[in-house]
Amino acid sequence: MTEQQFIPKAYSKTVESGKVTWESPSNIALVKYWGKKKDQIPENPSISFTLNNCKTITTLTFSKKENAFDFEFDVYLDGEKKDDFKPKIQTFFERIEVYLPFLRYYKFKIETKNTFPHSSGIASSASGMSALALCLMSVEKQLIQADATLSTVERPVDENYFNQKASFLARLGSGSACRSIEGDLIVWGQTDAIEGSSDLFGVKYPYQVHENFKAYQDTILLVDKGEKQVSSTVGHNLMYNHPYAKNRFQQAHDNLEKLKPILESGDLNDFIALIESEALTLHAMMMASMPYFILMKPNTLKIINKIWEFRQETGLHISFTLDAGANVHVLYPKKESSEILKFIKNELVAYCQNGHYICDQIGFGAKLIKN
Ligand code: PMV
């Protein structure tokens, strides 16, 4: 697959107006994406669990305009107009215009809401950008389907193509968003370890996965709900000329290779060692950047130490991962959830800002709500 394959033939019919709603989840990486090339191409492959409860619901209303000069859109979050969201979407539209040539011909209203609080420190870019990409794909699907005289090659709207292009577009909005279209394990970034993997879009993990990883739990401890001091964009860019970049990118390839037998056999101890190392390596890259920065907070470290102590004492398979922030994702198998959740409530929630946490688990991807 190359970018060219996502450029549609001219649309020969138009749809005057319409409305579509998608909900799309967040995801949490096990092997982390950190560092990118031009056009949101990742420096290394990554793999994530798609989440189930943390999601964005977006309704896109569209109507044909007279002229095709500028992009025309308004954005609403929880019913409130958000002009400060516009520059990000303007950039997104500019990046994807060549793949969705109808964009300039319609006026859009984008209404969005998240199931998690906006200021929770949980990035809404993965779920938000994937939900918007899916809504736009639904518009394109109508434009293409409207002309039944086209051959099926010219009407490539089967589910596989639809999801692939949605993931491709979402990537151009926010890299990790390309892993939010489907579930339950998604790989993004070309690597010999995973057949069919691509730098352009996420693909479903194609190999066998042990029962232990079904319905894996993710309790997100909200340690710091404030705005991050350093954005992911800045963090990715600091991987240019980073002294450890080359080794880190190779390590991600190696970790994906190592994860395959772990996912197949269900070896939870090896799984834990690999994902915790990935989380700490991500933050080590931040600390070793120039300028350097730290996104973990004292309570992040307290939680990590408590998790290690509890695991040592009980032998239960509790583990953690981190994204680019201070919050801790506590990961554990479903069958151990009653004891581990009790521990989280009794021992870990005290380290959360206002005692806030979110219970989530592996999910299966985005859903069309209304077309
Ligand atoms: O998609 P971005 O640019 O927000 O980067 C996400 C980076 C991490 O969350 C730290 C890792 C990942 O693979 O999701």
Side-chain angles (χ1 to χ4, degrees):
M1 270 281 185
T2 66
E3 283 97 335
Q4 295 302 316
Q5 277 160 282
F6 294 115
I7 300 178
K9 299 250 161 66
Y11 308 121
S12 51
K13 282 200 176 169
T14 60
V15 176
E16 281 309 316
S17 62
K19 196 172 181 174
V20 58
T21 303
W22 276 89
E23 60 166 54
S24 190
S26 186
N27 67 76
I28 181 70
L30 305 172
V31 172
K32 310 287 181 182
Y33 148 60
W34 198 243
K36 62 180 167 186
K37 301 176 201 158
K38 201 171 157 275
D39 296 332
Q40 308 270 92
I41 296 297
E43 286 278 12
N44 66 259
S46 57
I47 184 168
S48 52
F49 277 155
T50 303
L51 295 181
N52 193 56
N53 304 336
C54 290
K55 54 197 176 193
T56 298
I57 299 122
T58 297
T59 297
L60 183 73
T61 311
F62 55 98
S63 53
K64 192 109 177 52
K65 354 181 255 193
E66 295 289 300
N67 60 58
F69 294 139
D70 294 322
F71 295 127
E72 250 186 87
F73 61 91
D74 283 314
V75 195
Y76 295 80
L77 174 68
D78 297 325
E80 203 181 298
K81 201 153 178 264
K82 283 278 178 191
D83 285 340
D84 49 328
F85 285 11
K86 289 185 85 169
K88 202 165 179 194
I89 292 173
Q90 174 78 23
T91 307
F92 179 49
F93 277 13
E94 284 164 12
R95 283 186 193 156
I96 64 172
E97 187 189 3
V98 56
Y99 308 106
L100 296 178
F102 66 83
L103 280 180
R104 278 188 200 272
Y105 292 88
Y106 286 87
K107 182 175 166 35
F108 299 99
K109 183 179 183 192
I110 303 163
E111 291 168 285
T112 188
K113 58 184 184 215
N114 300 319
T115 57
F116 47 90
H118 182 57
S119 56
S120 60
I122 297 187
S124 56
S125 58
S127 52
M129 283 298 176
S130 52
L132 181 55
L134 285 158
C135 288
L136 292 169
M137 277 307 292
S138 286
V139 179
E140 179 169 272
K141 190 173 172 180
Q142 290 182 38
L143 292 171
I144 294 173
Q145 272 186 336
D147 189 351
T149 60
L150 292 174
S151 76
T152 45
V153 180
E154 291 166 313
R155 267 193 294 142
V157 284
D158 63 90
E159 199 186 332
N160 191 36
Y161 179 85
F162 185 96
N163 284 340
Q164 228 168 51
K165 183 163 174 182
S167 173
F168 171 85
L169 297 173
R171 186 196 96 239
L172 291 166
S174 171
S176 59
C178 77
R179 297 188 313 235
S180 277
I181 305 293
E182 294 178 274
D184 45 355
L185 267 168
I186 301 292
V187 178
W188 168 42
Q190 202 287 320
T191 179
D192 293 342
I194 311 286
E195 217 185 311
S197 57
S198 169
D199 282 345
L200 300 180
F201 46 79
V203 297
K204 278 186 180 205
Y205 178 75
Y207 308 115
Q208 214 176 322
V209 177
H210 193 275
E211 272 302 300
N212 280 350
F213 299 110
K214 305 282 162 174
Y216 220 72
Q217 304 289 298
D218 179 3
T219 302
I220 309 164
L221 304 179
L222 305 178
V223 170
D224 184 24
K225 302 198 241 170
E227 186 92 1
K228 280 187 288 193
Q229 284 142 353
V230 180
S231 71
S232 290
T233 309
V234 172
H236 285 294
N237 286 336
L238 288 172
M239 289 303 280
Y240 287 111
N241 301 321
H242 190 291
Y244 306 125
K246 201 164 160 253
N247 285 351
R248 163 59 200 152
F249 302 147
Q250 183 55 46
Q251 182 195 38
H253 282 271
D254 297 345
N255 278 343
L256 261 160
E257 186 74 63
K258 287 183 190 157
L259 198 56
K260 272 164 55 180
I262 296 174
L263 290 175
E264 188 175 344
S265 67
D267 189 325
L268 291 171
N269 294 330
D270 284 356
F271 178 76
I272 289 170
L274 192 143
I275 62 154
E276 290 191 348
S277 159
E278 272 289 323
L280 294 181
T281 302
L282 168 71
H283 284 257
M285 290 301 114
M286 298 172 191
M287 290 186 227
S289 298
M290 190 54 84
Y292 42 82
F293 61 106
I294 302 180
L295 295 183
M296 290 187 286
K297 296 283 180 201
N299 280 355
T300 311
L301 294 180
K302 286 191 181 137
I303 290 169
I304 291 173
N305 279 300
K306 280 272 180 190
I307 287 174
W308 284 342
E309 271 172 35
F310 182 71
R311 189 161 79 219
Q312 180 78 25
E313 279 164 19
T314 62
L316 291 169
H317 297 97
I318 183 171
S319 62
F320 72 87
T321 190
L322 307 166
D323 55 18
N327 297 334
V328 181
H329 288 249
V330 186
L331 300 180
Y332 48 99
K334 171 103 177 139
K335 62 177 183 236
E336 297 178 12
S337 57
S338 64
E339 286 149 294
I340 291 178
L341 205 50
K342 214 180 286 163
F343 162 71
I344 291 174
K345 285 183 186 156
N346 292 342
E347 302 279 339
L348 301 186
V349 167
Y351 300 109
C352 298
Q353 203 176 336
N354 306 324
H356 286 168
Y357 64 100
I358 297 173
C359 287
D360 211 333
Q361 63 173 29
I362 286 198
F364 296 93
K367 283 193 204 109
L368 176 65
I369 303 298
K370 220 187 268 165
N371 199 359

